[in-house]
Amino acid sequence: MASLAVVAVIAGGYLAIRRLSGTTLSAFDRGPNQNVLLVTIDTLRADALGSYGGRAITPNLDHLAAIGLRFDSAHAHAVTTLPSHASILTGLYPTQHGIHDNNGYRLPPTLSTLASRLKSQGFATGAFVGAFPVDSRFGLTSGFDTYDDHYPGTSGGREFVLPERRAGEVVALATAWIRAQHGKWFAWVHVFDPHAPYRPPPPFDREYASSPYHGEVAYTDSALAPLFSTVAADRSGRPTIVIVTGDHGEGLGDHGEETHGLFAYEATLRIPLLVAQFHADGLSWDAAGSSGAATGGVAIPTPVRHVDIVPTVLDLLQLPAAAKLPGRSLLASVAPGAGDPKGSYFEAMSASLNRGWAPLRGVVLGREKYVDLPIAELYDLKVDPGESANLVAVNPERVRTLDGILRVVPTTASIGPRQTADPEAAERLRALGYVTGTAKPKARYTDADDPKRLIGIDQDIHRAIDLYQRGRSAEAAPIYQKMLKMHPGMEIAYSHLSMLQWELGDAPAAVATLRAALAAGVDSIAVRTKLGTYLAESGRGAEAIPLLQAAVGGDFPDLDALNALGIALARAGLPDQAAAAFRRVLQFSPSHAMALENLGSIALGGQRFDQAREFFTRALAADPSSAQAHNGLGIVEMKAGNRGSAIEHWKRAVAIDPTNFYALFNVAVELVNDRQRDTAQPYLERFARTAPAAIYAADIARVRALLARPRRP
Ligand SMILES: [Zn+2]
C-alpha cells in the first residue's frame, strides 16, 4: 500500500500539472540537498522494456517509469560503451570529449564530469561498474571517491572470455556503499548483462529461451530491485534523483547488424531514458503492480539526448548551469512551448578507426534523421521508425539543411588524436566481441567503404565467433578461409583463423596462415607477435626470437610482443633474459597479470619460492581469475609444507580453467596423499578422461593406477 501512495502522489502531481499546462518543473523538488542515482544499463534497446512496449518483463523499471518521466525519443551520441558513457558523464558530444572508440582513448582529466561537479559541491561520489569497457584506465574515474571495477580479467590467452560481472554483484556493492553514506551522495551504477553473449541466469534462461537478449534485460531489471528499494526506504529526509538510461541499444539483426557499433540505426542509437525522484519518506519499493505499459507516469515525445543529463541534474540541484555544454535540462524540454532541441549529433567511428570503413556521422532533428556516409541516408522517424525508406533522393533541401547542422557541431580542437591502442585492452575488448585494430584514415571514402556494403563480413565474423564459443571451431575455420579469398587484406580473418587452427592442434597451419598474412602485406605488430608466439610454442625459438625482438620496438615497446618474447626466451632455456623481458613489461604496466604470472613461473623454475609467492600474489591481485597464479601458489604452498592450502589453490585453478591439467593432476594426487580419497575421485576421473594423452601419458597411467586401487571403507 505504501508504494501505491508514492505512485499516486508523484504521478498525480504530474497529471495535475499537465492539466494546468504550466511548467512541469514543480512536480520535482528542486534544491541542493538531494542524492543522485545514475543507472546505465549497457546495450539496452529502448523497445526492450515493458513500459516502452517491449517483450522483456521489467516491473522495476516500469514502476520507475510510472512514478516519473519516460522519454520516448531519447538518443545516444555514440553506439559503443566508452564514448557513450563519456557523453553521459561529461554532457559533451564525442567531438568535444574526444573519445570515439572503446580503445585508444582516455577521458582527459581536465574535463569536468558529473562526479567532479558534484564532488566539488560536497557530495560523496561512488561508481560501480560491470565490465571492462568502462575500466578505470579509460579515465571516467574523474571526481569519484570510489571507483569499483573489480570484475574478473583475462589472462593467459583465453580469448573471448568475458571480463564482466553480473548486475546482482554490482548492485550489492552499490547498495552497501549507499547505506554507508551519511551526507548527500552521487552513485553511478553500470550494469552490463544485456551485452552479448546473452546468457541469462535461471529462471530467465528458460523463460526467454527463444530470446535470451530479453532474458538478460528481464534479469537486469530484477537485479536492480534491491537498489531501488534501498533508495526508496531512505529516511534521511533527502530526496533522491534517479536517472536510468542505456548507453546504446542492440541491433538484434536490424539492418543486418547483430550487436552494435557499426551502424547508428534506431535499434542501437535510440535508448530508454527514465527520470524520477524518490521522496525519502521511508517507503517500500513494490514494483509488482507496475508491470507493462500505461500504469501512470508521463510519457514525453520531445526528442532528448544523453548530453541533456548533466544539465538536468544541475537544474534539479539548483546549481549554476554549466557553460559550454550542448545539452539543456530535460525539465526545460518538457515545459510547454519549449520546442525541440537544436538536433542531436551522433557518430559510429569504431569500424572506421579499426577497419578503415567510412566514418559514420549524423544528426537527429525532430522527426528527421540524417546519416552522412558515402551513400547518405535521410529518414522520417515518425512515419518510418524502421528506417527503411531513404529520402535522400526525394528531399535534397532537407539533406542540405541537416548536413549544414552537422558541419557546425561543436568540436574541441585541442583534444588529441587516438593514442596507440593498448594491447592488453585490445585483448579484453576482443573477448567482448569487439573488433580491435588500427586502420589509417583514407583521403576519400567511396561507396565501397560504406558500412552498408560491408555488413556481410561482420555477420560472417559473428557467425564464426559464435561457432567457436560453442566448441565448433572446425566449422568456423572455413568461414574465414572464404572471407580471405574475397578480402585478402583482412587482418582479423588471418588472426582468428590462425587461433582456431592453433586450438584445433594444427600448429603448422596456424603458422602458415600468419605467414600468408605477412606475404599479403598484412603486416602488424599483432600479426608478428602471434606468429612469434606460435613458433616459440612449437619449439621453433630460433625463428621466433628475432621476429619478436623486431616486433617489440624501441622506446615504447609493444607489451604483447614483449610478453611473447619473454615466453619464447623462457622456452628456449634463457630464464634470465626472459625475466628481463617480463620486468620491462611491468615498467610500463605495473599490474600486467600475464607478466607477473610468468615472472612467478620463472622464479619457481629457479627454486626461488619466496619470490614466486610474491609474483603470483601480485598476479592474483591484478587478475583474481588467474588460474596460472593459483596453480603456482599451490606449488609454493606445497613446498612450504602446507598441503591443505596447496589443495585449495589447485581447486580454484581447476574451477577457473578446467584445462589446467597440471593443477588438476596435483589436486587429484595430493588429495589421495592427504587420505581424502573420496574427494579425490572426481578429480582423478576428470584427469584420466580429459588430459591429452600425447602430453600426459605417464601421469594418466599413474592416475589410472590410483583409480584401480581398492578404496578403503
Ligand atoms: Zn555499451
Side-chain angles (χ1 to χ4, degrees), residues 74-80 84 87-88 93-94 245-249 264 268-271 304-307 344-347 364:
H75 286 98
H77 311 291
V79 286
T80 48
S84 194
S87 288
I88 293 167
Y93 286 139
T245 190
D247 59 343
H248 51 76
T268 61
L269 194 69
R270 180 178 167 235
I271 36 78
V304 297
R305 310 157 291 179
H306 271 162
V307 292
S344 184
Y345 168 79
F346 63 84
E347 63 175 41
V364 176

Side-chain angles (χ1 to χ4, degrees), residues 426-710:
E427 183 189 332
R428 292 177 184 222
L429 292 165
R430 276 197 297 276
L432 294 170
Y434 288 104
V435 172
T436 59
T438 312
K440 292 182 190 76
K442 293 184 184 176
R444 190 171 159 271
Y445 293 92
T446 66
D447 289 6
D449 302 311
D450 193 299
K452 294 186 284 297
R453 291 274 167 90
L454 296 165
I455 185 69
I457 294 172
D458 187 68
Q459 291 166 335
D460 285 345
I461 292 171
H462 278 287
R463 200 154 52 87
I465 292 175
D466 185 59
L467 284 166
Y468 169 79
Q469 287 177 330
R470 292 162 190 266
R472 291 159 61 182
S473 298
E475 292 166 67
I479 295 173
Y480 290 118
Q481 282 156 339
K482 195 173 149 204
M483 206 182 291
L484 286 171
K485 281 210 181 85
M486 289 172 66
H487 305 278
M490 271 195 70
E491 178 172 339
I492 184 178
Y494 290 107
S495 170
H496 283 192
L497 176 60
S498 65
M499 183 203 66
L500 293 175
Q501 291 165 325
W502 179 261
E503 294 202 355
L504 287 165
D506 192 348
V511 166
T513 295
L514 294 168
R515 291 226 187 267
L518 293 176
V522 180
D523 189 353
S524 70
I525 292 172
V527 167
R528 286 176 177 266
T529 301
K530 207 159 204 160
L531 177 56
T533 301
Y534 291 164
L535 286 169
E537 296 282 331
S538 40
R540 292 156 72 179
E543 286 170 80
I545 289 167
L547 187 81
L548 290 168
Q549 276 166 337
V552 166
D555 290 348
F556 296 97
D558 184 280
L559 301 188
D560 262 4
L562 193 51
N563 186 63
L565 174 63
I567 293 169
L569 290 164
R571 293 267 187 277
L574 300 164
D576 294 343
Q577 290 183 42
F582 297 132
R583 284 185 195 279
R584 195 153 168 242
V585 173
L586 296 185
Q587 277 173 23
F588 292 91
S589 178
S591 59
H592 195 287
M594 262 191 278
L596 289 163
E597 287 168 15
N598 291 332
L599 280 165
S601 297
I602 287 176
L604 265 190
Q607 312 268 315
R608 296 184 300 278
F609 297 111
D610 286 345
Q611 205 186 27
R613 182 192 298 276
E614 189 206 318
F615 282 126
F616 287 132
T617 305
R618 281 171 63 192
L620 270 190
D623 177 5
S625 71
S626 167
Q628 199 51 42
H630 276 299
N631 182 46
L633 283 172
I635 297 165
V636 171
E637 291 291 352
M638 198 64 204
K639 290 285 175 190
N642 306 322
R643 179 185 278 146
S645 172
I647 287 172
E648 283 314 305
H649 277 297
W650 287 324
K651 277 184 181 171
R652 264 184 264 171
V654 174
I656 294 164
D657 178 9
T659 67
N660 192 322
F661 297 110
Y662 199 97
L664 184 58
F665 178 81
N666 285 342
V667 71
V669 170
E670 289 307 329
L671 279 168
V672 173
N673 290 342
D674 201 41
R675 296 166 187 258
Q676 300 187 55
R677 181 63 184 77
D678 287 346
T679 314
Q681 182 73 11
Y683 293 101
L684 291 165
E685 287 174 356
R686 211 160 100 194
F687 187 84
R689 196 176 63 243
T690 59
I695 307 169
Y696 297 97
D699 299 321
I700 292 169
R702 190 172 158 204
V703 164
R704 291 229 167 97
L706 286 172
L707 279 166
R709 217 187 278 169

Side-chain angles (χ1 to χ4, degrees), residues 254-277:
D254 186 83
H255 288 79
E257 184 175 32
E258 289 305 320
T259 58
H260 57 270
L262 300 180
F263 291 144
Y265 293 111
E266 292 293 89
T268 61
L269 194 69
R270 180 178 167 235
I271 36 78
L273 179 58
L274 306 171
V275 181
Q277 191 175 45

Side-chain angles (χ1 to χ4, degrees), residues 41 105 134 143 180 212 265 276 289 315 376 380 398 409 501 504 524 595 615:
I41 303 174
Y105 296 96
V134 288
Y265 293 111
D315 179 13
D380 181 340
R398 289 310 298 161
V409 163
Q501 291 165 325
L504 287 165
S524 70
F615 282 126

